[in-house]
């Protein structure tokens, strides 16, 4: 979850999938969160094996998140500015 934290440190409005490593960021209310409950097996070619799971989002949910941030950019810009302070704990 380093990339969204870097975006917030730069005050960039951020859309994050709400799963595993991103749960803490999603709970912070400084990002736009997208439900990510589609569990699929995680294939790693390096090991030629399935190891654990990955999570995906519905395309419609992702599109709605993009539209929401676009149409309410000033709100998400303010959240990102608050996020700049929030990421300092890391």
């Amino acid at each position: 979850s380093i990339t969204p934290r870097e975006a917030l440190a730069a005050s960039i409005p951020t859309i994050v999938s709400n799963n595993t490593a991103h749960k803490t960021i999603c709970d912070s209310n400084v990002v736009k969160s997208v439900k990510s409950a589609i569990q699929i097996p995680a294939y790693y070619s390096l090991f030629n094996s399935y190891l654990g799971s990955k999570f995906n989002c519905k395309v419609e949910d992702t599109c709605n998140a993009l539209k929401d941030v676009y149409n309410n950019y000033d709100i998400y810009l303010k959240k990102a500015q608050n996020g700049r302070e929030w990421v300092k704990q890391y």
Side-chain angles (χ1 to χ4, degrees), residues 72-88:
N72 300 290
Y73 192 78
D74 55 332
I75 293 169
Y76 289 99
L77 185 59
K78 178 68 175 161
K79 285 182 180 234
Q81 291 165 346
N82 292 336
R84 185 179 180 102
E85 291 301 313
W86 181 83
V87 297
K88 286 181 180 179

Side-chain angles (χ1 to χ4, degrees), residues 2 6 8 18 29-30 47 50 56-57 64 68 74 80:
I2 293 172
E6 288 176 335
L8 290 171
N18 193 349
N29 198 37
V30 296
F47 304 110
Y50 289 93
N56 209 342
C57 306
N64 288 338
D68 186 34
D74 55 332

